[in-house]
Amino acid sequence: MDKEESIDLRELMQIVIRHKKIMCIIITVCTAIAMITAFFILPKTYESTTLVRAKSSSKLDLSGASAAMAALGVGGAATSPTMVYIELMKSRAVVNPIIEQLDLPAEKKENLTAKGFAKSSLEIINTKGTDLIEIKAKGESPEEAQQISQGVVDGFLNLMTQMNQDQQSLMAKFLSGRIDVARDDLDQATQKLDAFGQDKKVYVPEVQAKAEIEKMAAFDTMYSQLKVKEDSANAQLQSATSQLGKQNSALKEFNVADNPTIQKIRDSIVSAQVELVGLQQRYQDKHPDIIAKQQEIAELNTQLGREVSNYVDAGTVTMNPVQAGLIKDKVGAETDLAVTQASLSAIQGLQKKAEGDMSKLSSDSMEYIKLQRDVTIKQGIYVSLVQNYETARVQEAMNSMDIQIVDAADLPNGPSGPNKKLITAIGMLVGLIIAFGYTLLLYSKRR
């Protein structure tokens, strides 16, 4: 067997030597064709690069869930926005206007899709471990490459500005309606208090009643804050659900009640808020115990947001970053709403218990306390809603600052393609393959 292989190799070499001129011609022709194609036939391409830095969005968090609402930049930084930004830069909303502005034949524009254009003319890279995004655009001229690269950045900024303004407009519209309702409630509560005072001739409560009012003030303040937080969380949930509906995709449902870690953190937040109310009844706002308890609640909220993000990540690994972010927004709103409602229930239980201690007061004093507390609560809700509404309007008027341009799109000095050396080397390799095939053909005929 070894002898047969030795003879075959020698015979192959003899064929190569005998037909070396033909072999050289085949290799030379293939190499020449590749060179001609690379230098004269293939169109030149130019590449323009833009470097931007992604920032966490500064969207308004009206519900106070700074960590749980991190999905689309509504609060903390549980997830990096860079992958979402890269997907949005390739979207139809960004790419189609660029195609329309290019100097291309009408037929080519009609057949050119955003996905195909992004695949052939764009390369968007996120350097691992950083928040930098590099946008490389290819064009048939230096000016076209620069136009495409700059167009991606401009289109993305316009898209983000519109999305941010739409979200803030939705929030402002919701708050505007709630403000009208809160104003009417406050007016009615004030009128009832005034009417009671005129009827019973009670304008200033007795000393004991005044002490009870001060005692209940912490409950009333916390109740007002939680009610506004509940309304805002509902608005966030409606917004996220609406945006998910536009995705037209079958999305997985997430039930945070199935996660014991999230439930444990939620219960800890409720307990801490109840303890905070008790401290606020005894101390001033700047007391070390109150400050420490507020910091504990903030840390628990951050931990809750992190757990919610990890929980959703585990079930959305196959989805694109935009859908995953919207799901995080929705689950975060649902979690925040559940925590707020649980806290409200606990505070109301303490309120009823404290109200039982007022039974020793006169009926007029008790009614006065009730009416005055109603005014205080509704006034707190109204003031908070107005403040949030004004903040939402300011955010609506602001331009998007989701990315910062580090290096603007450059004008290429020379073509980046085609790669002439690579194409020539490929041509030579093809020639070698053909020559070897020709040698095998001659060998088989000779055998």
Side-chain angles (χ1 to χ4, degrees):
M1 187 68 181
D2 293 338
K3 184 178 179 180
E4 184 181 350
E5 288 182 359
S6 176
I7 294 173
D8 290 343
L9 289 174
R10 190 181 303 115
E11 192 170 351
L12 281 174
M13 289 300 300
Q14 291 175 355
I15 293 173
V16 170
I17 294 171
R18 190 176 301 114
H19 298 85
K20 61 183 179 181
K21 289 185 179 180
I22 297 177
M23 304 296 177
C24 291
I25 291 173
I26 292 174
I27 296 172
T28 302
V29 169
C30 289
T31 304
I33 292 174
M35 290 181 64
I36 293 172
T37 302
F39 281 84
F40 302 105
I41 298 178
L42 291 178
K44 294 180 180 180
T45 58
Y46 298 83
E47 187 175 271
S48 176
T49 303
T50 304
L51 183 65
V52 299
R53 176 176 177 267
K55 297 198 326 178
S56 295
S57 303
S58 57
K59 296 177 187 174
L60 184 64
D61 180 16
L62 298 175
S63 65
S66 59
M69 302 294 293
L72 293 177
V74 187
T79 55
S80 172
T82 50
M83 296 308 297
V84 177
Y85 290 171
I86 290 174
E87 290 294 326
L88 290 174
M89 287 177 182
K90 300 176 183 178
S91 65
R92 293 193 302 270
V94 173
V95 174
N96 283 342
I98 298 175
I99 297 175
E100 291 298 323
Q101 293 175 2
L102 294 178
D103 186 16
L104 298 174
E107 292 182 1
K108 187 174 181 179
K109 282 186 179 181
E110 291 179 1
N111 296 326
L112 195 59
T113 64
K115 186 176 181 180
F117 180 82
K119 187 175 181 179
S120 62
S121 302
L122 289 176
E123 184 181 4
I124 304 177
I125 306 169
N126 168 231
T127 304
K128 188 175 182 180
T130 71
D131 54 3
L132 298 177
I133 300 176
E134 188 177 34
I135 304 166
K136 294 182 179 180
K138 297 179 181 179
E140 296 181 358
S141 67
E143 293 76 14
E144 182 178 288
Q146 186 183 42
Q147 180 184 358
I148 295 172
S149 184
Q150 184 61 44
V152 172
V153 176
D154 293 341
F156 173 78
L157 287 174
N158 291 335
L159 174 63
M160 292 304 298
T161 298
Q162 185 62 46
M163 290 175 64
N164 291 345
Q165 288 180 347
D166 288 346
Q167 184 174 8
Q168 297 307 326
S169 296
L170 178 64
M171 183 60 70
K173 182 178 179 181
F174 166 79
L175 290 174
S176 178
R178 286 291 296 122
I179 286 173
D180 293 337
V181 175
R183 186 191 299 113
D184 293 340
D185 291 344
L186 177 59
D187 290 341
Q188 293 176 10
T190 304
Q191 290 172 6
K192 288 181 180 179
L193 179 62
D194 292 341
F196 179 81
Q198 292 175 2
D199 183 37
K200 300 295 184 179
K201 307 301 181 185
V202 178
Y203 298 100
V204 180
E206 58 192 55
V207 176
Q208 191 176 10
K210 192 173 183 179
E212 293 295 336
I213 292 175
E214 292 176 355
K215 182 179 178 182
M216 299 295 293
F219 290 117
D220 298 339
T221 301
M222 179 66 74
Y223 181 84
S224 299
Q225 294 173 352
L226 290 174
K227 282 300 293 181
V228 173
K229 190 175 179 181
E230 181 186 34
D231 290 339
S232 300
N234 266 317
Q236 296 281 9
L237 179 58
Q238 292 174 11
S239 175
T241 304
S242 174
Q243 292 180 62
L244 278 171
K246 296 177 182 178
Q247 294 290 318
N248 295 323
S249 301
L251 302 177
K252 180 180 178 181
E253 291 295 328
F254 291 84
N255 185 7
V256 293
D258 297 334
N259 190 304
T261 303
I262 294 177
Q263 291 302 305
K264 183 177 179 180
I265 299 173
R266 190 195 76 167
D267 295 340
S268 298
I269 293 175
V270 174
S271 298
Q273 287 178 333
V274 171
E275 292 173 8
L276 177 62
V277 172
L279 292 171
Q280 288 173 335
Q281 287 182 318
R282 299 194 300 269
Y283 306 118
Q284 297 295 325
D285 290 341
K286 294 185 179 180
H287 192 276
D289 289 348
I290 291 181
I291 294 174
K293 187 58 64 175
Q294 290 173 338
Q295 290 176 347
E296 179 186 344
I297 293 174
E299 291 173 0
L300 286 170
N301 275 321
T302 301
Q303 186 179 356
L304 178 65
R306 191 182 303 116
E307 287 296 331
V308 170
S309 178
N310 293 337
Y311 175 60
V312 176
D313 279 339
T316 59
V317 291
T318 59
M319 295 182 181
N320 68 64
V322 177
Q323 284 186 349
L326 288 172
I327 292 175
K328 284 186 181 181
D329 200 22
K330 180 176 180 291
V331 176
E334 291 172 342
T335 305
D336 186 48
L337 184 61
V339 171
T340 304
Q341 290 174 342
S343 299
L344 270 172
S345 178
I347 296 299
Q348 286 174 328
L350 291 176
Q351 279 181 323
K352 292 180 179 179
K353 183 178 179 181
E355 287 170 356
D357 298 335
M358 296 189 300
S359 58
K360 53 184 173 293
L361 299 176
S362 64
S363 59
D364 288 347
S365 295
M366 290 182 63
E367 184 64 21
Y368 183 88
I369 291 174
K370 178 182 177 183
L371 293 174
Q372 189 176 60
R373 284 182 57 213
D374 195 33
V375 171
T376 301
I377 291 172
K378 288 179 169 56
Q379 186 176 35
I381 293 174
Y382 175 74
V383 170
S384 296
L385 287 171
V386 170
Q387 290 174 345
N388 287 340
Y389 175 76
E390 293 301 326
T391 305
R393 292 298 300 271
V394 171
Q395 290 285 345
E396 182 182 349
M398 289 176 62
N399 291 327
S400 173
M401 293 295 291
D402 295 274
I403 61 172
Q404 290 177 323
I405 299 176
V406 179
D407 293 328
D410 60 334
L411 186 65
N413 294 324
S416 61
N419 192 329
K420 299 173 184 177
K421 292 182 179 180
L422 178 61
I423 294 175
T424 302
I426 292 174
M428 184 180 293
L429 179 61
V430 171
L432 287 170
I433 293 173
I434 294 175
F436 182 70
Y438 180 69
T439 303
L440 291 178
L441 179 64
L442 293 177
Y443 173 77
S444 64
K445 286 183 177 180
R446 187 169 179 176
R447 296 286 294 177

